[in-house]
Amino acid sequence: MCNLPVRVVCRANAEYMSPSGKVPFIHVGNQVVSELGPIVQFVKAKGHSLSDGLDEVQKAEMKAYMELVNNMLLTAELYLQWCDDVTVEEITHPRYGSPYPWPLNRILAYQKQWEIRRKMKAIGWAGKSLEQVLEDVDQCCQALSQRLGTQPYFFNKQPTELDALVFGHLFTILTTQLTTDELSEKVKNYGNLTAFCRRIEQQYFEGHDKDNSGTAAARSAKRSLLR
Amino acid sequence: MAAPMELSCWGGDWGLPSLHPESLTVMAYAKFSGAPLTVNTINNSWRTPKGDVPVLISEDTVISQPAKILNFLRKQKYNADYELSAKQGADTLAYIALLEEKLLPALLHTFWVEAENYCSVTKPWFASRIPFPLSLYLPGKMSREALNRILLTKGGPPLYSLTEVEAQIYRDAKECLNLLSKRLGTSQFFFGNTPTTLDAFVFGFLAPVYKVCFPRVQLQEHLKQLPNLCRFCDDILTCYFRLTVSDPALIISLQMDDNLRKSPQHPPRKLTTLKLAAGGEESSPLNRLSP
């Protein structure tokens, strides 16, 4: 969205290369910056920002909505991936452990699962059932849908960090295959959100396919909403 | 049509109906929406409810978390958000998420983790309201849970030590207070002239920071530099909680303008903790920290 040239590379040890242990991170010259918040700050310091045109109240709103997405959608995604037994067995463990040989794949997967479950317990999500989590996702999507309304982006004509964040989460939810489709159904209930994702995908990702120098595996892993 | 509803929660002090942010949120919402609640503060008796506080008991249903309690009240037609538009409802959810992510860790830290605050204020206060021998165990458990929550949600790399995490969470909290202040602006409540769910949550989180007198008060200092938020808390206390109704001089002095509020002569409080309050108030306005 900022029109910055970027090359996407997939690596199995990405989490270890990152300074904060979390992906994604960017490697610019001799600097490494990880996670959305710091990356946005870094890019802003270099002179590119998407939210310069917003006034103070709108910036406050944008930050609040970004926290909502982090609080509800991200936690729900983690819950579904790591605390729902069926999904854990069939999808998460194999996927997380796939780059490693046995027994490392099982050990690392269990370690990550234990870590995430501890976190869920600390914030009070451990006692929630799957239905409650899906209801929370629905509430969050409803809020986003109402905020978006009929506008092309959340703050009318120009995309901002919030649009990027929401696109990231919703696109992943809509295109990842899970054991059930309940999560993506919740998002699909809101037509303007799916239209939003499609629009961003077409505008920012379709045109850049040719420039991507990823491997064949990466290219085949590219999913599209326009199935 | 209302079945009698009872709310069990932590009691209050320093001019507040409750010290616990979640209890305060529920109480404020009940006042805003006109729900008839009988409030039972937990005192030194064995009928302390186990598990989460606040707890709403209505006939046979027992409901424990603030969000669920508010939903229940709404279903009983006590709805403070009736006049909000869909977008304002969405904004409410977003701002509540902001409070929980950015302000709550610092609030928990000020109350339960900061050693001086915990030992001199929080632990004695809570211990005096929990029956022996639970009073030896429960405050410590609450403190450990608070620290755990802070470390698990905020304490990953690149923040490796507790001091770095503390610095980060206070920075976040101050930024959150600034954002709330900008959003409130000069209006009386967040969505016009009637209070809503968002006002209840903001009040629940801000009032303890604003009123409780701790030895280490950097968050309170910062809050006092945002006069519209202070005015917001005071307005709700005087209009909806009527705690100081027996002292007319106190009501007048609480409605004074901002200049006077920052002076050392803070309105006298007629509670027994006056000595502590007076000592704290005199020193805090004198060393103004920058945000």
Side-chain angles (χ1 to χ4, degrees):
Chain A
M1 287 178 181
C2 291
N3 276 327
L4 296 172
V6 66
R7 192 166 60 106
V8 178
V9 176
C10 301
R11 293 273 173 82
N13 59 344
E15 276 188 345
Y16 297 103
M17 284 203 277
S18 152
S20 77
K22 300 211 175 96
V23 286
F25 65 89
I26 56 173
H27 180 192
V28 179
N30 59 353
Q31 285 176 307
V32 183
V33 185
S34 66
E35 292 192 71
L36 181 65
I39 292 179
V40 167
Q41 302 271 46
F42 178 80
V43 169
K44 194 168 171 175
K46 300 285 180 185
H48 300 271
S49 170
L50 289 177
S51 51
D52 280 340
L54 300 180
D55 65 32
E56 292 297 336
V57 175
Q58 284 178 314
K59 278 195 186 151
E61 243 183 75
M62 185 182 83
K63 291 223 165 79
Y65 274 97
M66 285 174 78
E67 288 306 323
L68 177 67
V69 172
N70 275 332
N71 201 350
M72 289 226 170
L73 281 186
L74 178 61
T75 320
E77 284 163 15
L78 283 178
Y79 180 94
L80 201 58
Q81 275 188 306
W82 293 100
C83 300
D84 177 43
D85 295 320
V86 175
T87 318
V88 165
E89 269 308 308
E90 291 188 21
I91 297 182
T92 320
H93 270 196
R95 188 170 62 187
Y96 190 75
S98 60
Y100 309 105
W102 193 90
L104 198 57
N105 56 356
R106 300 299 273 178
I107 296 175
L108 288 177
Y110 275 116
Q111 194 181 44
K112 180 94 185 187
Q113 184 180 8
W114 185 74
E115 207 183 288
I116 303 277
R117 287 205 177 174
R118 244 179 99 201
K119 185 171 163 188
M120 292 289 151
K121 197 160 159 221
I123 57 176
W125 277 58
K128 290 200 182 184
S129 67
L130 189 59
E131 285 78 38
Q132 285 173 320
V133 171
L134 288 174
E135 216 180 282
D136 283 340
V137 170
D138 191 47
Q139 232 187 7
C140 180
C141 290
Q142 192 184 25
L144 289 172
S145 174
Q146 281 164 352
R147 179 68 181 83
L148 183 62
T150 48
Q151 299 168 355
Y153 299 107
F154 278 94
F155 288 95
N156 213 1
K157 303 271 175 13
Q158 296 297 325
T160 56
E161 288 90 8
L162 177 61
D163 300 281
L165 183 66
V166 172
F167 172 73
H169 281 282
L170 292 184
F171 186 80
T172 316
I173 291 179
L174 287 171
T175 54
T176 308
Q177 286 280 32
L178 291 177
T179 48
T180 60
D181 278 333
E182 285 171 350
L183 191 59
S184 50
E185 285 303 315
K186 291 281 175 197
V187 178
K188 282 184 193 157
N189 276 337
Y190 299 97
N192 61 348
L193 292 181
T194 35
F196 169 78
C197 291
R198 204 164 286 148
R199 194 183 322 122
I200 292 195
E201 191 198 4
Q202 278 175 327
Q203 200 169 354
Y204 293 102
F205 288 97
E206 299 283 296
H208 295 145
D209 264 352
K210 313 188 270 292
D211 305 338
N212 249 345
S213 55
T215 60
R219 234 176 273 132
S220 65
K222 258 196 184 315
R223 295 156 293 203
S224 170
L225 281 175
L226 308 170
R227 250 192 283 246
Chain B
M1 66 158 282
M5 295 187 281
E6 244 184 63
L7 181 73
S8 288
C9 58
W10 293 110
D13 215 339
W14 289 284
L16 292 176
S18 172
L19 279 203
H20 187 222
E22 293 170 352
S23 311
L24 206 50
T25 307
V26 175
M27 279 197 221
Y29 184 82
K31 295 274 180 191
F32 296 161
S33 61
L37 278 191
T38 25
V39 177
N40 290 337
T41 54
I42 298 173
N43 56 17
N44 205 346
S45 77
W46 277 101
R47 284 184 291 113
T48 326
K50 302 181 192 59
D52 307 310
V53 171
V55 173
L56 183 73
I57 303 174
S58 165
E59 293 176 337
D60 295 328
T61 33
V62 176
I63 310 166
S64 67
Q65 281 159 3
K68 290 189 196 158
I69 296 180
L70 261 51
N71 268 341
F72 178 78
L73 287 175
R74 277 187 212 114
K75 287 199 188 108
Q76 305 283 353
K77 315 268 190 236
Y78 295 111
N79 189 358
D81 296 342
Y82 195 67
E83 293 174 2
L84 291 187
S85 70
K87 180 182 170 307
Q88 287 173 323
D91 282 351
T92 302
L93 270 185
Y95 278 100
I96 292 175
L98 184 71
L99 284 175
E100 276 180 9
E101 282 287 314
K102 299 280 181 186
L103 190 54
L104 185 60
L107 185 68
L108 287 177
H109 187 272
T110 309
F111 269 75
W112 295 99
V113 181
E114 175 70 60
E116 256 185 73
N117 293 348
Y118 174 62
C119 293
S120 57
V121 177
T122 321
K123 187 161 146 194
W125 194 92
F126 277 89
S128 67
R129 282 159 179 75
I130 303 174
F132 184 85
L134 274 181
S135 60
L136 297 176
Y137 167 69
L138 220 49
K141 176 167 172 259
M142 289 164 87
S143 168
R144 276 191 300 276
E145 276 173 5
L147 181 61
N148 208 17
R149 182 178 173 146
I150 293 175
L151 285 180
L152 281 179
T153 47
K154 301 280 169 190
L159 305 169
Y160 287 105
S161 70
L162 189 56
T163 31
E164 288 175 23
V165 178
E166 286 170 9
Q168 178 64 34
I169 58 180
Y170 277 106
R171 265 201 298 273
D172 284 343
K174 287 173 186 170
E175 199 199 316
C176 178
L177 290 177
N178 291 345
L179 290 176
L180 286 175
S181 180
K182 285 187 194 127
R183 176 62 183 78
L184 181 61
T186 50
S187 45
Q188 198 185 7
F189 297 109
F190 277 91
F191 293 116
N193 288 328
T194 45
T196 57
T197 307
L198 180 57
D199 300 286
F201 270 90
V202 174
F203 175 71
F205 280 81
L206 289 188
V209 176
Y210 180 38
K211 294 281 184 185
V212 179
C213 299
F214 284 118
R216 297 284 194 91
V217 283
Q218 52 166 315
L219 207 51
Q220 194 181 69
E221 307 266 334
H222 189 88
L223 180 55
K224 286 186 177 159
Q225 293 174 17
L226 298 166
N228 59 352
L229 292 180
C230 300
R231 186 220 359 113
F232 171 78
C233 291
D234 286 328
D235 279 350
I236 294 185
L237 279 173
T238 46
C239 300
Y240 289 93
F241 286 99
R242 306 216 183 280
L243 274 184
T244 53
V245 73
S246 54
D247 187 351
L250 202 49
I251 297 179
I252 297 169
S253 60
L254 276 171
Q255 284 167 349
M256 62 191 176
D257 69 339
D258 305 332
N259 291 333
L260 214 47
R261 193 169 284 132
K262 285 186 194 148
S263 78
Q265 278 129 338
H266 214 82
R269 297 208 183 99
K270 54 180 182 55
L271 303 171
T272 52
T273 50
L274 183 58
K275 288 205 191 76
L276 189 63
E281 294 301 330
E282 272 159 16
S283 58
S284 58
L286 294 177
N287 40 335
R288 308 265 225 95
L289 295 175
S290 58

